[in-house]
Amino acid sequence: MTRLSEFYYYDIALITKLIRSKKAGNILLQVPEGLKALACSLLDELKDRLKDVEIHIDLSPSYGSCLIDTDVTSSYDLVINLGHEKYPYWSPPDNVYFIDLLYRKPLSTEVINNTISKITELGKNVAVYSTAQHKHEVPKLAKILSSKGINVINDLSSPVIFGCWFSDLDNVLGNIDAVLVISGGYFHSVGVGLRIRNSKPVFKLDPYEQKAELINDKVYRFLKIRYSKIMNAFDAKNWLIVAGACGQYRPNIVRKLEKLLKKNNASYYISRVAILNEHTLRNIDTETIDAIIVTSCPRLPIEDLSRYHKPVLTPGEALMILSNRIHDYIFPW
Amino acid sequence: MTRLSEFYYYDIALITKLIRSKKAGNILLQVPEGLKALACSLLDELKDRLKDVEIHIDLSPSYGSCLIDTDVTSSYDLVINLGHEKYPYWSPPDNVYFIDLLYRKPLSTEVINNTISKITELGKNVAVYSTAQHKHEVPKLAKILSSKGINVINDLSSPVIFGCWFSDLDNVLGNIDAVLVISGGYFHSVGVGLRIRNSKPVFKLDPYEQKAELINDKVYRFLKIRYSKIMNAFDAKNWLIVAGACGQYRPNIVRKLEKLLKKNNASYYISRVAILNEHTLRNIDTETIDAIIVTSCPRLPIEDLSRYHKPVLTPGEALMILSNRIHDYIFPW
């Protein structure tokens, strides 16, 4: 069996101690989507260290710390959520603990040198962020950058970004020449690009691919698609608002959109669902609905629902239409 | 807009009264999967009668009364669940009310006469069941059958069956010559067939298709597939148990299976998830797992997961293997 510990570091002593200190008899293990199959190896490891505890694996989507099935967690003494940091705007049930899962393979010297030479052409000031799996790389990279005369401007005590939340990026944006994002895939770096309206170079440093990459072209393609969705929704009269569950239920945003929809003489329905996909949407959609706003996870319209035959917008995009302000792309809201 | 009321009867006065009596300011409307798009028309109707109440539509799967997202329902004063009866083994949150949704089109005289002539060839004693949408047809049909000299044996005060629960069918099975099921689709009638091991003729009377149909051939095909799954899992050493949420969390069945797996020297993991599909399963599945038992909804292995490349069993099927009793097919458990 491939072991989680081959690729990721987690503090097994800390987890064991946590289970013992909470006198937890039954435990639920939550692992990010791509690593769920490796959760079994961690479970085996814990079973070896802790006899007489029962550990189950949560199969619900674990894309982040915002969506946790509270009915399921309620049947456990302790819930161990691996690889995520707490979502800043929602507190999960008290029995949920977030434990670091850190990718073992460091950024290669080649990737770092490549980045430095590219950055040097652009300026002297950067911000460095990472996903939760790579946060230990941030101070290491910052130190090397500083030694090469590049100023790392952002607060390194909180460099972790989410798909919808970007630490203190907004505060430093005016003072930087580029953003560096240590992450796999394009999800987080594209998020940064959308957040800053593609206004600065965004470099993705990928520890899996061992590659430094400027991703602004990709962001631009996303922006083109998003603007086409916005244009398609411009004359919408009948809207469907989809609200979420747990940390993805954001009633204030629903209220704000309702207010604007009323002001625009538009009609609307509000719906609720924890897990949204195209099939869920088709179930409720009728020919009378012109456009859809997803107020749960703002990445669903962008990554999952961009092929839907009607415009599916993020709250920020809907706000652009409803407040007649399409000149500045708003993400994520 | 197509209106729900064109096809289904619901007591709008009762719903209005319920909302008023509970002084409910915000309401969640839950409608069965196939009718979700028509929920908007009911919402409009309620909005006309009740100003100043807010009504949202639940997009979570509403296949029955066993699975209700309790996090979502907790943000409403009142939850109206249309078209289902309470699941006998689980109590949903107190604010959930089940309201009848009754199909308007009655069984035609032709369907009924056709059924009577077929039944008469088989014997004199039948049991009559229906799904929640057609329960008002049961006494009508029973009266006609009685007038033709056919005895309706079962308790007509509770003729409603679920996909996994079959009222008092077991008690009357020894005394009947056939079962009649008033329902659309094949889901419920096939359930009856599996429950009785295809031991009696099962007639489906379909008010949508206006058709009386003997479905035992279909049940036989399902049984063949189920036995092939059972055979494929016979020598499984490593098992994955999938447990559910809310009314689909059945810890006693998990315990029973655990006990038998231990007795059989098999190893196993236990996982939890509210909404299970092939993708969810693939996330956790590894090459070391030989067979999977779904303890949430017993129809998931039969209808949704029968194409999975490994055997996915219901608890009853797993029990057949683990207790060495394959001669009697056990459904559903």
Side-chain angles (χ1 to χ4, degrees), chain B residues 37-212:
Chain B
L38 300 182
C40 295
S41 71
L42 171 57
L43 195 149
D44 289 340
E45 210 178 333
L46 288 170
K47 282 272 185 194
D48 281 345
R49 287 168 175 248
L50 299 150
K51 314 290 178 195
D52 299 325
V53 302
E54 183 157 355
I55 311 175
H56 297 175
I57 301 167
D58 194 346
L59 298 192
S60 289
S62 185
Y63 294 118
S65 51
C66 53
L67 191 60
I68 285 170
D69 189 324
T70 52
D71 175 85
V72 169
T73 57
S74 70
S75 40
Y76 296 89
D77 297 329
L78 184 66
V79 179
I80 294 170
N81 184 303
L82 280 163
H84 296 127
E85 300 218 332
K86 189 187 165 297
Y87 178 58
Y89 305 115
W90 183 63
S91 289
D94 286 344
N95 59 341
V96 178
Y97 287 77
F98 296 103
I99 302 284
D100 286 342
L101 198 61
L102 302 172
Y103 189 56
R104 285 188 182 278
K105 198 171 175 182
L107 287 168
S108 70
T109 311
E110 197 188 334
V111 171
I112 295 171
N113 288 341
N114 192 358
T115 306
I116 289 169
S117 72
K118 282 174 181 166
I119 296 292
T120 313
E121 292 168 22
L122 294 163
K124 277 198 148 330
N125 302 311
V126 299
V128 183
Y129 298 100
S130 82
T131 55
Q133 281 75 39
H134 308 293
K135 62 182 176 183
H136 55 303
E137 294 293 321
V138 174
K140 291 198 279 179
L141 180 64
K143 203 172 163 186
I144 300 171
L145 291 172
S146 297
S147 76
K148 301 288 180 180
I150 296 167
N151 305 316
V152 178
I153 302 289
N154 62 309
D155 177 7
L156 293 189
S157 68
S158 64
V160 172
I161 55 168
F162 296 39
C164 63
W165 185 80
F166 304 96
S167 195
D168 62 344
L169 176 60
D170 294 356
N171 298 328
V172 301
L173 188 62
N175 305 320
I176 55 174
D177 301 306
V179 189
L180 306 190
V181 182
I182 307 173
S183 71
Y186 290 99
F187 186 80
H188 293 85
S189 50
V190 162
V192 167
L194 294 176
R195 177 70 187 177
I196 66 172
R197 299 163 185 156
N198 225 10
S199 61
K200 305 269 172 166
V202 178
F203 288 90
K204 182 186 76 146
L205 278 60
D206 190 325
Y208 303 96
E209 304 271 343
Q210 290 294 342
K211 194 173 155 189

Side-chain angles (χ1 to χ4, degrees), chain A residues 2-205:
Chain A
T2 312
R3 300 187 72 83
L4 182 61
S5 57
E6 286 176 43
F7 303 101
Y8 287 88
Y9 168 78
Y10 43 85
D11 190 337
I12 186 82
L14 177 81
I15 300 171
T16 312
K17 204 173 145 189
L18 180 66
I19 293 171
R20 284 210 179 103
S21 75
K22 298 288 169 193
K23 296 187 172 64
N26 63 346
I27 295 129
L28 184 69
L29 204 58
Q30 298 180 325
V31 179
E33 288 315 276
L35 301 174
K36 273 194 162 63
L38 299 183
C40 296
S41 70
L42 171 57
L43 195 149
D44 288 341
E45 210 178 334
L46 287 170
K47 282 273 185 191
D48 281 345
R49 287 167 175 250
L50 299 150
K51 313 290 176 195
D52 299 325
V53 301
E54 183 158 354
I55 310 175
H56 297 174
I57 301 166
D58 194 346
L59 298 192
S60 288
S62 186
Y63 295 118
S65 51
C66 53
L67 191 59
I68 285 170
D69 188 324
T70 52
D71 175 84
V72 169
T73 58
S74 70
S75 41
Y76 296 89
D77 297 329
L78 183 66
V79 180
I80 294 170
N81 184 303
L82 280 164
H84 296 126
E85 300 217 332
K86 189 188 164 297
Y87 178 58
Y89 305 113
W90 183 64
S91 289
D94 287 343
N95 60 340
V96 178
Y97 286 78
F98 296 103
I99 302 283
D100 285 343
L101 196 63
L102 302 173
Y103 189 55
R104 286 189 181 277
K105 199 170 174 181
L107 288 167
S108 71
T109 313
E110 197 188 334
V111 171
I112 295 170
N113 287 342
N114 191 358
T115 307
I116 290 169
S117 72
K118 283 174 181 165
I119 295 291
T120 314
E121 293 168 22
L122 295 164
K124 278 197 148 331
N125 303 311
V126 299
V128 182
Y129 299 98
S130 82
T131 56
Q133 283 75 39
H134 309 293
K135 61 181 176 184
H136 54 303
E137 294 292 320
V138 175
K140 291 197 279 179
L141 179 65
K143 205 173 162 185
I144 300 171
L145 291 173
S146 296
S147 75
K148 302 289 180 180
I150 296 168
N151 305 316
V152 178
I153 303 289
N154 61 310
D155 176 7
L156 293 188
S157 68
S158 64
V160 173
I161 55 167
F162 296 39
C164 62
W165 185 80
F166 305 96
S167 196
D168 63 344
L169 176 60
D170 294 356
N171 298 328
V172 300
L173 188 62
N175 306 320
I176 55 174
D177 302 305
V179 189
L180 306 189
V181 182
I182 308 172
S183 69
Y186 290 98
F187 185 81
H188 293 84
S189 50
V190 162
V192 166
L194 294 176
R195 177 70 188 178
I196 66 172
R197 299 164 185 155
N198 224 9
S199 62
K200 305 269 172 165
V202 178
F203 288 91
K204 183 187 76 147
L205 278 59

Side-chain angles (χ1 to χ4, degrees), chain A residues 229-246:
Chain A
K229 301 288 166 187
I230 292 166
M231 291 302 123
N232 288 339
F234 225 84
D235 297 318
K237 289 285 167 232
N238 299 299
W239 296 72
L240 173 68
I241 295 177
V242 184
C246 302

Side-chain angles (χ1 to χ4, degrees), chain B residues 224-236:
Chain B
K224 280 197 286 189
I225 294 169
R226 300 323 303 164
Y227 267 101
S228 83
K229 301 288 166 188
I230 292 166
M231 291 304 122
N232 287 340
F234 223 84
D235 296 319

Side-chain angles (χ1 to χ4, degrees), chain A residues 242-266:
Chain A
V242 184
C246 302
Q248 293 190 356
Y249 181 44
R250 306 190 289 162
N252 291 343
I253 288 171
V254 175
R255 294 281 161 278
K256 193 178 172 77
L257 289 168
E258 275 194 280
K259 217 171 146 181
L260 285 166
L261 285 163
K262 280 177 185 162
K263 209 174 151 185
N264 280 265
N265 291 319

